[in-house]
Amino acid sequence: MYELNDTYKAHLDSIAEAIQASPTLAQYLEEEEDEHYEALKAEFEPQLEAAHEQINHYSPFEIESFERYLLDDRFEGLFLPRVLGYSVLRPQINAQFFYSRQNDHFGEILSYIAGNVNFDQLRSRIGQAVQVGFALSSDIYVTGLIDEIPTKRVRQFLLSQKADNARTTEGRKQIFLRYQRQFRSRNYQYAPFPLAENELISHTDHLVNFLLYRISQEGLNNDALPGPLYDMATNEDYTGRKEIVEPILIYGAYLSPEGEALEAIKNVLSRERKAHSDRVEQQVMTFLLRLKNDPTITFGQLEELNLGELIDRTIDDDLTAYFNLTDKIHNEGYTEPEVQEAIQEEVLKQQGLSEFNENIRQTILAYFDTYAASLGTDDYNDWFAHTGKQFPIYMKIFANEQFNQELRRLAIRYTKRLIKVHTNKRGKDYRDIKKTTVATWTDYDFMTDKQLKEFFKTPRKRKKSA
């Protein structure tokens, strides 16, 4: 965990001082009415929320330190129900919908709330969060947490939050997803950064997911990410550890290291390739496919070229062959005959269903996808000319049924756009579209005559009942 920097500490201290000097707080302490605490909440929680959003935007690895700083009586428990909610949603969850590791951050915040003098005002806002945290934690952990609470009525409240349906995986899943939906518009994600070798196994998968979340969200400032990633990659204690490979790939593809940093990261990856060739090749190819197949993540020409900057081409392995080929595709163009010959040559060296070949297929599919998305409904002649030449070439090069089905999906999607606009069956546009589509799709084996007839069939409109 990264410590909270002094700037944010000073900002939080100023809010705490304002809370303690507030006439609203004085009135609440004197009269102990809920309405005065609500007024205090309305006055200061927006300030705490704004500070929380700011640190999550600019310094995400300090977020838990920020939240622990709020466990101070000067803040009167304000904003802690929201923080408790974030704490139960962030950790990594396994297939059985239990936390992969003990959620001590949740336990620490809940214990503080349970002992806070304003617990009666806070309890109405924490029930669901407690239920989720308990459902995803082990019974032993929950029992130990409750037993440490000194006040009987607080223990009874917490015991009442243990849900009966949390006994099954499906029940825990429902509890978690129902609560998570309430925070869809919130930026609360966080993963602990492995700061020691013994944390690599427990932290890295969660870290990778967090990094992918950060780079996939528009508008987030990721200037705080390169420093820790550089330190992780160049840490000599991590030499030979498979856990450093995926963070390095994210660093290279999305955060664009330059100069000495680029050379250092490149040297680390070269060291790992030489020492563990087969394993690193497999890791890189598998991770590339993950990036290309995840619709929430952008991975295209720029990211693949960036990643190629990390690859030492003097090493004779499949990674050199792969990135030499993708450099050629991206720089010269996938429609060039020389590029297509190079693709065919490399593809034939690999097993047909290898991840090497699948990655090349995905790279080419991305170009076809981008081309289809760039065309308007009046550009169908360009589409037919382009795909009429390129589809047969690549179907022959790859000889892969799944690739052909992806081309079919693209063709259907674009053609549906066309016939939604060009609806006059007697018009030249419609007749040209249908004629060319029927001829080419039959050649490509995209559809049978019967399927094509059904595809172009106009659905009958139901007659309105009298």
Side-chain angles (χ1 to χ4, degrees), residues 321 325 328 337-351 356-357 360 394 396-398:
L325 181 57
K328 195 174 185 68
E338 288 185 3
V339 172
Q340 292 165 349
E341 289 174 12
I343 292 172
Q344 184 164 32
E345 183 179 341
E346 288 298 332
V347 163
L348 290 174
K349 294 178 183 177
Q350 306 287 331
Q351 293 184 357
F356 183 107
N357 284 353
I360 297 299
Y394 278 105
K396 182 178 180 181
I397 288 174
F398 294 130

Side-chain angles (χ1 to χ4, degrees), residues 241-282:
R241 295 298 299 263
K242 67 180 182 179
E243 291 83 3
I244 67 173
V245 173
E246 290 181 1
I248 284 175
L249 298 179
I250 295 172
Y251 187 13
Y254 295 99
L255 301 174
S256 304
E258 298 178 345
E260 293 181 0
L262 175 60
E263 284 305 309
I265 300 299
K266 184 175 180 178
N267 290 338
V268 169
L269 189 57
S270 298
R271 178 195 71 201
E272 297 300 309
R273 289 168 65 195
K274 292 174 182 177
H276 309 281
S277 178
D278 290 344
R279 189 253 292 164
V280 174
E281 285 180 18
Q282 180 70 34

Side-chain angles (χ1 to χ4, degrees), residues 147-158:
D147 286 346
E148 290 179 359
I149 306 300
T151 308
K152 182 178 179 180
R153 65 183 179 83
V154 177
R155 289 200 303 271
Q156 289 175 336
F157 168 78
L158 296 179

Side-chain angles (χ1 to χ4, degrees), residues 200-433:
L200 283 174
I201 292 177
S202 60
H203 289 5
T204 303
D205 283 349
H206 193 196
L207 172 67
V208 167
N209 291 335
F210 171 65
L211 293 173
L212 292 177
Y213 167 81
R214 291 288 303 195
I215 57 93
S216 65
Q217 299 299 305
E218 290 186 10
L220 287 183
N221 185 302
N222 289 320
D223 291 348
L225 303 186
L229 284 171
Y230 177 86
D231 293 341
M232 180 183 184
T234 57
N235 189 330
E236 292 294 332
D237 293 338
Y238 299 167
T239 300
R241 295 298 299 263
K242 67 180 182 179
E243 291 83 3
I244 67 173
V245 173
E246 290 181 1
I248 284 175
L249 298 179
I250 295 172
Y251 187 13
Y254 295 99
L255 301 174
S256 304
E258 298 178 345
E260 293 181 0
L262 175 60
E263 284 305 309
I265 300 299
K266 184 175 180 178
N267 290 338
V268 169
L269 189 57
S270 298
R271 178 195 71 201
E272 297 300 309
R273 289 168 65 195
K274 292 174 182 177
H276 309 281
S277 178
D278 290 344
R279 189 253 292 164
V280 174
E281 285 180 18
Q282 180 70 34
Q283 277 188 277
V284 173
M285 290 299 169
T286 300
F287 193 63
L288 282 177
L289 281 179
R290 175 182 175 182
L291 298 178
K292 293 176 181 180
N293 289 324
D294 189 333
T296 68
I297 297 171
T298 298
F299 187 89
Q301 174 183 350
L302 177 61
E303 290 75 24
E304 200 152 51
L305 286 170
N306 286 344
L307 203 49
E309 294 293 315
L310 297 185
I311 304 300
D312 180 354
R313 310 304 170 90
T314 65
I315 301 173
D316 185 15
D317 64 4
D318 280 348
L319 291 184
T320 291
Y322 178 82
F323 284 99
N324 282 345
L325 181 57
T326 54
D327 281 355
K328 195 174 185 68
I329 294 170
H330 297 315
N331 291 324
E332 298 178 29
Y334 74 111
T335 62
E336 292 297 313
E338 288 185 3
V339 172
Q340 292 165 349
E341 289 174 12
I343 292 172
Q344 184 164 32
E345 183 179 341
E346 288 298 332
V347 163
L348 290 174
K349 294 178 183 177
Q350 306 287 331
Q351 293 184 357
L353 298 178
S354 68
E355 290 189 328
F356 183 107
N357 284 353
E358 178 60 16
N359 266 294
I360 297 299
R361 289 193 289 268
Q362 290 296 327
T363 294
I364 299 303
L365 279 171
Y367 275 105
F368 281 125
D369 201 358
T370 301
Y371 181 72
S374 73
L375 296 178
T377 52
D378 290 332
D379 302 321
Y380 59 85
N381 284 321
D382 294 338
W383 169 259
F384 291 138
H386 183 76
T387 59
K389 182 176 181 181
Q390 301 303 327
F391 274 14
I393 290 174
Y394 278 105
M395 292 169 76
K396 182 178 180 181
I397 288 174
F398 294 130
N400 178 268
E401 183 57 30
Q402 183 60 42
F403 177 81
N404 295 350
Q405 289 301 312
E406 290 298 320
L407 295 183
R408 178 181 185 272
R409 178 185 62 82
L410 283 175
I412 289 174
R413 188 172 67 190
Y414 181 65
T415 308
K416 281 184 175 180
R417 285 173 56 201
L418 296 180
I419 60 178
K420 270 188 176 181
V421 175
H422 302 289
T423 56
N424 182 4
K425 293 193 173 186
R426 296 179 182 274
K428 182 179 183 300
D429 290 321
Y430 184 90
R431 287 186 285 110
D432 287 348
I433 292 166

Side-chain angles (χ1 to χ4, degrees), residues 384 415 432-442 452 455-456:
F384 291 138
T415 308
D432 287 348
I433 292 166
K434 182 176 181 180
K435 179 182 177 181
T436 307
T437 299
V438 168
T440 54
W441 286 13
T442 302
L452 282 163
F455 182 80
F456 284 100

